[in-house]
């Protein structure tokens, strides 16, 4: 497939503009620092990402709030989709039309040697002979010694021709040697996390063009590799607050919101499930449903809770767990019941 240049024709309430797409990753979002900033409240801080090669481009929605629409259909989050020339993206009030075009080939430079040479007509010497001067002085006899010949003036055309040949004999200076390719060192395997690069992608754009050199790209890449992950954490901190996406080490901190503590017997899946249902469990704390839901998450089976038996003592209820007692830790089960039962009640626990 031939190489193309890609660009986006962007239409917004403020007007129209174009965005050239280079090979690599291009981030789209509301926040300053994105490669393509769309400043509108309907655009997420990190809304979408474009990945381009010399022959194609793909769009990925970064789980944005209002979504990214391709030709009227909303894209699934975190799914990479190919773009075709003429496709229309809609992000908030912005309409982005994807366009591919081939760069015009530079015209061949016309050298002076390729032009037809126009021969200059040499100036004609006058054909007439000089008139003889009449002198009254006696004529001198010719000397036997030969006289030196007088230098004849060169025609103007010949002088120009000699100057041109002299100028053409000078060879142009050789071009500078090409820059050697980067050689990875023993501590540089070339493997970097997705979204980062050995070269600066954003900070280099704030420098004047004269300073945008390979050295400055690598120098600023050091600071960008430190700053960018910090910005990612800040921009996506909402993922830390969701039990489904928070790191495992962060679950205990989320449990502190409900004064819930997890010991080593709680698996990661059990912790995430309890935190996901915690807003309902703690809103109904002290009821049969809340106590049964906590025990179900921890044991993996639905317990039977009976508080209507006439043989029970006042303010007493029974809890039956359909598992062998040896398969569970009775002390931990009773600790859970004590934490979620009504404060004025007592209970009896039985197993299969």
């Amino acid at each position: 497939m031939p190489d193309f240049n890609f660009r986006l024709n962007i239409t917004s309430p403020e007007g129209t503009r174009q965005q050239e797409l280079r090979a690599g990753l291009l981030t789209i979002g509301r926040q300053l620092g994105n490669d393509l900033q769309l400043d509108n409240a309907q655009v997420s801080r990190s809304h979408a990402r474009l990945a381009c090669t010399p022959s194609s481009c793909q769009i990925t929605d970064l789980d944005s709030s209002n979504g990214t629409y391709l030709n009227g259909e909303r894209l699934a989050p975190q799914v990479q989709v190919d773009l075709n020339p003429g496709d229309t993206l809609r992000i908030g009030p912005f309409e982005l039309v994807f366009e591919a075009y081939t760069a015009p080939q530079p015209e061949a430079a016309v050298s002076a040697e390729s032009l037809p040479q126009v021969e200059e007509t040499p100036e004609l010497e006058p054909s007439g002979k000089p008139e003889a001067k009449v002198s009254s002085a006696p004529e001198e006899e010719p000397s036997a010694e030969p006289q030196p010949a007088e230098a004849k003036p060169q025609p103007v055309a010949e002088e120009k021709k000699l100057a041109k040949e002299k100028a053409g004999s000078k060879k142009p200076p050789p071009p500078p040697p090409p820059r050697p390719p980067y050689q990875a060192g023993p501590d540089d395997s070339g493997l970097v996390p997705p979204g980062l690069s050995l070269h600066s992608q954003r900070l280099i754009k704030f420098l004047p063009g004269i300073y945008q050199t390979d050295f400055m790209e690598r120098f600023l890449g050091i600071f960008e590799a430190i700053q960018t992950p910090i910005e990612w954490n800040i921009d996506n901190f909402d993922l830390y607050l969701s039990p489904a996406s928070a790191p495992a080490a962060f679950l205990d901190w989320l449990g502190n919101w409900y004064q819930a503590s997890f010991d080593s017997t709680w698996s990661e899946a059990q912790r995430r499930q309890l935190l996901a249902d915690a807003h309902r469990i703690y809103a109904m704390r002290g009821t049969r449903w809340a106590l049964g839901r906590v025990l179900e998450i921890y044991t993996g089976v639905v317990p039977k809770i009976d508080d209507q038996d006439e043989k029970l003592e006042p303010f007493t209820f029974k809890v039956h767990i359909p598992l062998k007692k040896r398969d569970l830790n009775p002390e931990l089960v009773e600790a859970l019941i004590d934490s979620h039962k009504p404060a004025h009640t007592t209970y009896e626990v039985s197993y299969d």
Side-chain angles (χ1 to χ4, degrees):
M1 179 177 291
D3 292 348
F4 293 97
N5 289 343
F6 301 103
R7 63 188 172 198
L8 293 174
N9 295 319
I10 305 172
T11 303
S12 66
E14 289 76 18
T16 60
R17 59 191 173 104
Q18 287 185 341
Q19 174 71 37
E20 296 292 334
L21 303 179
R22 66 183 187 277
L25 297 178
L26 182 140
T27 57
I28 304 174
R30 184 182 73 247
Q31 191 174 22
L32 182 65
N34 286 288
D35 298 312
L36 176 55
Q37 183 184 9
L38 303 179
D39 191 6
N40 189 277
Q42 300 180 31
V43 182
S44 299
R45 290 174 298 178
S46 296
H47 197 102
R49 180 177 65 243
L50 278 169
C52 293
T53 66
S55 59
S56 65
C57 276
Q58 293 81 32
I59 182 72
T60 304
D61 181 80
L62 300 179
D63 201 10
S64 58
S65 301
N66 296 318
T68 302
Y69 292 82
L70 175 60
N71 298 328
E73 296 185 2
R74 182 165 182 168
L75 298 179
Q78 304 299 338
V79 176
Q80 189 167 278
V81 180
D82 291 330
L83 289 178
N84 297 313
D87 284 350
T88 300
L89 295 169
R90 185 166 63 82
I91 299 177
F94 297 89
E95 184 178 275
L96 301 87
V97 179
F98 180 71
E99 181 181 351
Y101 64 97
T102 56
Q105 297 296 331
E107 297 182 359
V110 179
S111 62
E113 297 179 356
S114 62
L115 295 176
Q117 299 294 333
V118 179
E119 297 183 357
E120 298 182 359
T121 305
E123 297 181 0
L124 298 177
E125 296 182 356
S127 59
K129 296 182 180 180
E131 297 180 357
K133 294 182 180 180
V134 179
S135 175
S136 59
E139 295 182 358
E140 296 181 356
E141 295 181 359
S143 174
E145 297 180 0
Q147 298 295 329
E150 296 181 358
K152 295 182 179 180
Q154 296 290 336
V156 178
E158 292 186 6
E159 292 181 359
K160 292 183 178 180
K161 185 176 180 181
L162 292 174
K164 187 181 296 184
E165 291 178 356
K166 186 177 181 181
S169 62
K170 294 182 179 179
K171 296 182 179 179
R179 179 181 299 170
Y182 173 72
Q183 300 293 335
D187 297 330
D188 183 10
S189 61
L191 299 177
V192 294
L196 297 179
S197 173
L198 295 176
H199 293 74
S200 172
Q201 302 293 325
R202 295 186 295 112
L203 299 181
I204 192 67
K205 298 179 181 178
F206 294 96
L207 294 180
I210 192 174
Y211 296 114
Q212 294 186 14
T213 62
D214 181 75
F215 169 78
M216 288 304 299
E217 287 183 359
R218 293 184 180 278
F219 179 73
L220 294 178
I222 299 174
F223 301 94
E224 198 166 300
I226 298 173
Q227 179 184 357
T228 303
I230 297 175
E231 294 179 350
W232 288 345
N233 287 341
I234 296 175
D235 293 342
N236 300 284
F237 189 72
D238 55 317
L239 299 177
Y240 284 76
L241 305 181
S242 172
S245 57
F250 210 71
L251 297 177
D252 289 339
W253 185 82
L254 292 178
N256 290 333
W257 291 10
Y258 303 99
Q259 294 183 346
S261 58
F262 302 108
D263 53 43
S264 58
T265 60
W266 285 81
S267 66
E268 180 180 336
Q270 290 173 330
R271 299 182 188 192
R272 294 185 186 276
Q273 187 62 55
L274 179 64
L275 292 173
D277 294 348
H279 64 286
R280 292 185 297 167
I281 292 174
Y282 283 83
M284 301 177 65
R285 194 173 188 181
T287 64
R288 178 192 301 177
W289 180 88
L291 176 60
R293 181 57 180 156
V294 172
L295 293 176
E296 179 184 356
I297 294 174
Y298 182 71
T299 62
V301 295
V302 179
K304 297 179 181 179
I305 301 175
D306 184 10
D307 59 351
Q308 302 295 326
D309 192 347
E310 297 179 355
K311 299 180 180 179
L312 294 173
E313 296 291 334
F315 308 108
T316 303
F317 62 92
K318 290 182 178 181
V319 178
H320 178 75
I321 299 177
L323 290 174
K324 300 294 183 181
K325 188 175 182 179
R326 63 175 179 271
D327 297 334
L328 297 171
N329 189 331
E331 295 180 357
L332 294 178
V333 173
E334 293 178 6
L336 285 176
I337 298 175
D338 290 334
S339 299
H340 295 273
K341 72 178 183 64
H344 60 282
T345 60
T346 57
Y347 60 90
E348 299 175 2
V349 183
S350 61
Y351 302 87
D352 280 352

